[in-house]
């Protein structure tokens, strides 16, 4: 009997039912305890302390969290369509030379786009994507970054490269895939990249660059006295990819100093944004991941500059990510494979191509400051057109890279199986020379 009595005492001590009721109130944040604290049925002063929601309080009545009850994130703007600064305190106070570079880089991009688009239509290159209407989001953001910051682009951020010094010949050689192309002719046109300019080569699969950017930023954070951040660009359509969710969650939980720069231009190819998502755009998703966010007018180069500058300061100071959403309008077709007249009215397009065009806005601002010379700018456009046309003629005559290069640049030292494949290919080409345009390739 003594053994049974001892065992019963031990079990009673281990049982939660045997503990004093006062101790249960202290240790357990049950609904009963919460209601005693709150009294009238409002939020409890006690936090529930569930591992998955540490800051949430108990309530005694259910209340749906409805999306329409959440205030939309406002759109930050500095300059209106007439080039007038809405709030003088937001004037970025850039030097005249910097503003003129912003304007000319946008004009260069716009002019080059027009010619290369027509080049594709003539069958001289296989593919092209223009940047019409989004020039300010490229140039304004690039100007706010350090040249040492890494860029992971999608395929409509050519202006970032223009700002950093990618030349007309660099652009056109890439589009023609010749031996002077830094990518050795391995990519589709407009899939640019530059190690020298810290611009990671663009990939065709949508959204792959976003988690890569989160990882690169995390690696930067681990370096002593880090002063570099990472920015990754993507459209609102790419934000529907699973890669974006993975990137947001990784960056937020690992505290990566990365700027997620979404170009919300209204269309994911032909899918309008109203059919792409139901929530408050892309910036509205940031809070759910525990990230900061800022939405701004992407056709306003100064708003873009200020927003990106603020974002860069934030991610480096706090070692945390941020979501930027540049609101804009894609004036051009999605690509040379698209005809946007099938899904949007010409009247809508006209507004964004005139009154709300980012180049027109900056021109108005420069006119007000006395910084714009019509004759000089017209000469600049002519000189750019001449350079682009001349480079096209030159790039067309440059040979394609040596086809053997397709076996290189994967391993530091070519492994045996690739050496065998290269040898077999050389024998095949030699036996069937008449079927290959070898005269167009470097030997």
């Amino acid at each position: 009997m003594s053994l049974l009595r001892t065992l019963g005492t031990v079990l009673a001590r281990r049982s939660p039912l045997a503990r004093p009721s006062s101790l249960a109130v202290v240790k357990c944040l049950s609904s009963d305890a919460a209601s005693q604290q709150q009294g009238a049925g409002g939020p409890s002063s006690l936090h529930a302390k569930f591992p998955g929601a540490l800051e949430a309080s108990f309530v005694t009545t259910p209340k749906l969290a409805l999306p329409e009850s959440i205030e939309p994130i406002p759109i930050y703007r500095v300059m209106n369509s007439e080039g007038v600064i809405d709030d003088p305190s937001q004037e970025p106070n850039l030097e005249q030379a910097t503003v003129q570079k912003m304007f000319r880089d946008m004009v260069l991009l716009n002019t080059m786009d027009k010619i290369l688009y027509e080049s594709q239509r003539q069958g001289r290159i296989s593919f092209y994507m223009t940047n019409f209407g989004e020039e300010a989001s490229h140039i304004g953001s690039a100007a706010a970054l350090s040249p040492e910051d890494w860029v992971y682009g999608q395929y409509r951020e050519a202006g970032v490269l223009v700002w950093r010094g990618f030349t007309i010949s660099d652009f056109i050689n890439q589009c023609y895939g010749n031996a002077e192309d830094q990518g050795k002719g391995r990519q589709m046109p407009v899939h640019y990249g530059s190690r020298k300019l810290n611009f990671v080569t663009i990939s065709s699969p949508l959204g792959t660059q976003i988690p890569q950017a989160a990882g690169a930023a995390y690696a930067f954070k681990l370096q002593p006295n880090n002063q570099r951040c990472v920015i990754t660009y993507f459209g609102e359509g790419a934000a529907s990819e699973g890669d974006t969710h993975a990137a947001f969650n990784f960056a937020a939980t690992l505290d990566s100093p990365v700027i997620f720069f979404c170009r919300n231009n209204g269309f994911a190819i032909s899918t309008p944004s109203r059919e792409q998502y139901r929530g408050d755009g892309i910036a509205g998703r940031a809070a759910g991941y525990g990230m900061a966010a800022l939405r701004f007018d992407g056709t306003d180069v100064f708003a873009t500059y200020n927003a990106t500058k603020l974002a860069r300061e934030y991610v480096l100071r706090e070692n945390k990510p941020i979501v930027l959403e540049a609101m804009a309008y894609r004036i051009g077709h999605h690509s040379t494979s698209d005809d946007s007249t099938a899904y949007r009215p010409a009247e809508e397009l006209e507004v964004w191509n005139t009154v709300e065009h980012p180049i027109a806005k900056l021109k108005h601002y420069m006119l007000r400051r006395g910084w714009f010379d019509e004759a000089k700018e017209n000469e600049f456009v002519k000189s750019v057109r001449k350079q682009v046309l001349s480079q096209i003629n030159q790039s067309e005559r440059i040979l394609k890279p040596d086809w053997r290069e397709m076996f290189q640049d994967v391993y530091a030292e070519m492994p045996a199986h690739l050496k065998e494949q290269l040898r077999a290919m050389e024998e095949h080409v030699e036996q069937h020379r008449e079927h290959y345009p070898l005269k167009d390739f470097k030997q």
Side-chain angles (χ1 to χ4, degrees):
M1 289 296 292
S2 59
L3 178 60
L4 291 175
R5 189 180 297 112
T6 302
L7 182 60
T9 302
V10 171
L11 290 174
R13 287 175 178 173
R14 291 184 178 180
S15 172
L17 298 176
R19 294 177 183 173
S21 59
S22 59
L23 182 61
V25 173
V26 174
K27 295 291 186 180
C28 301
L29 296 176
S30 67
S31 57
D32 290 340
S35 62
Q36 292 171 15
Q37 293 286 331
Q38 66 193 39
S44 169
S45 60
L46 292 175
H47 292 304
K49 300 302 180 184
F50 291 112
L54 291 173
E55 299 302 317
S57 300
F58 283 114
V59 295
T60 56
T61 55
K63 184 179 180 181
L64 297 179
L66 298 172
E68 53 265 29
S69 66
I70 301 173
E71 192 73 20
I73 295 175
I75 301 172
Y76 169 64
R77 185 178 79 169
V78 173
M79 178 171 55
N80 66 20
S81 59
E82 297 299 319
V84 177
I85 304 295
D86 291 331
D87 180 352
S89 71
Q90 296 302 302
E91 165 76 64
N93 295 315
L94 298 171
E95 295 180 357
Q96 179 179 348
T98 301
V99 175
Q100 287 178 329
K101 174 173 167 54
M102 284 178 161
F103 182 82
R104 287 198 166 187
D105 281 359
M106 287 196 283
V107 169
L108 185 152
L109 178 60
N110 185 274
T111 305
M112 183 175 65
D113 272 350
K114 291 174 181 175
I115 298 173
L116 286 174
Y117 182 87
E118 292 303 320
S119 179
Q120 191 280 334
R121 285 294 186 246
Q122 296 168 6
R124 302 171 81 170
I125 56 177
S126 61
F127 180 79
Y128 196 71
M129 303 182 82
T130 63
N131 304 274
F132 301 141
E134 300 186 57
E135 296 90 348
S137 64
H138 305 181
I139 302 302
S141 59
L145 297 170
S146 163
E148 298 304 312
D149 295 334
W150 277 27
V151 179
Y152 283 78
Q154 188 164 305
Y155 43 58
R156 210 184 303 277
E157 293 87 27
V160 177
L161 281 165
V162 172
W163 181 268
R164 290 197 168 192
F166 210 64
T167 66
I168 289 174
S169 60
D170 289 333
F171 281 111
I172 297 176
N173 284 332
Q174 195 284 325
C175 287
Y176 278 83
N178 59 37
E180 298 299 318
D181 169 24
Q182 294 183 31
K184 300 185 177 181
R186 296 170 178 171
Q187 288 272 30
M188 287 176 62
V190 308
H191 289 54
Y192 311 113
S194 173
R195 177 179 292 184
K196 181 178 70 174
L197 301 178
N198 294 317
F199 192 103
V200 179
T201 303
I202 295 165
S203 299
S204 284
L206 204 59
T208 56
Q209 79 280 7
I210 309 174
Q212 293 167 7
Y218 179 67
F220 283 171
K221 185 184 79 166
L222 298 179
Q223 297 176 359
N225 304 313
N226 174 54
Q227 296 298 316
R228 293 186 294 175
C229 73
V230 177
I231 187 169
T232 179
Y233 295 87
F234 54 96
E236 82 285 353
S240 293
E241 293 284 337
D243 280 345
T244 307
H245 160 71
F248 282 10
N249 206 41
F250 269 122
T253 55
L254 296 175
D255 293 325
S256 298
V258 57
I259 300 171
F260 294 111
F261 192 108
C262 176
R263 299 176 294 94
N264 192 334
N265 61 22
F267 297 92
I269 306 183
S270 60
T271 303
S273 56
R274 66 179 179 273
E275 297 178 14
Q276 187 69 229
Y277 52 78
R278 283 290 183 268
D280 181 27
I282 310 307
R285 302 177 188 177
Y289 290 93
M291 293 190 291
L294 179 59
R295 175 180 287 152
F296 55 93
D297 181 353
T299 68
D300 175 353
V301 70
F302 294 150
T304 304
Y305 173 84
N306 286 352
T308 309
K309 183 180 180 210
L310 179 65
R312 184 179 188 275
E313 292 169 354
Y314 171 82
V315 301
L316 287 176
R317 182 182 67 249
E318 304 294 333
N319 266 328
K320 291 183 177 180
I322 190 171
V323 176
L324 296 184
E325 186 174 19
M327 310 307 293
Y329 188 92
R330 194 197 75 213
I331 294 174
H333 306 298
H334 171 74
S335 70
T336 48
S337 303
D338 175 46
D339 179 9
S340 62
T341 62
Y343 53 84
R344 58 184 182 180
E347 298 78 23
E348 178 180 287
L349 194 64
E350 183 62 22
V351 173
W352 293 97
N353 202 21
T354 54
V355 179
E356 297 294 339
H357 200 287
I359 295 178
K361 290 180 180 180
L362 187 55
K363 177 181 178 180
H364 289 317
Y365 171 85
M366 294 173 69
L367 284 168
R368 291 176 180 277
R369 296 294 300 268
W371 291 353
F372 191 84
D373 187 315
E374 192 79 44
K376 286 184 178 179
E377 297 309 323
N378 287 339
E379 283 301 313
F380 176 73
V381 172
K382 291 179 181 177
S383 70
V384 170
R385 285 185 56 83
K386 184 177 180 180
Q387 290 177 61
V388 172
L389 292 170
S390 174
Q391 185 61 50
I392 285 175
N393 289 330
Q394 182 178 337
S395 296
E396 285 180 324
R397 293 195 296 268
I398 298 174
L399 294 175
K400 301 292 183 184
D402 189 333
W403 62 264
R404 296 171 184 82
E405 290 183 358
M406 76 169 102
F407 293 92
Q408 301 172 1
D409 301 322
V410 176
Y411 300 94
E413 183 176 339
M414 190 183 297
H417 72 279
L418 280 186
K419 289 180 180 178
E420 176 58 28
Q421 290 178 30
L422 173 58
R423 184 197 61 75
M425 186 67 183
E426 287 177 327
E427 289 181 359
H428 171 82
V429 171
E430 183 61 32
Q431 291 174 11
H432 305 282
R433 296 181 64 87
E434 69 275 14
H435 298 293
Y436 294 96
L438 296 177
K439 63 180 180 57
D440 298 332
F441 290 79
K442 287 185 68 175
Q443 299 297 314

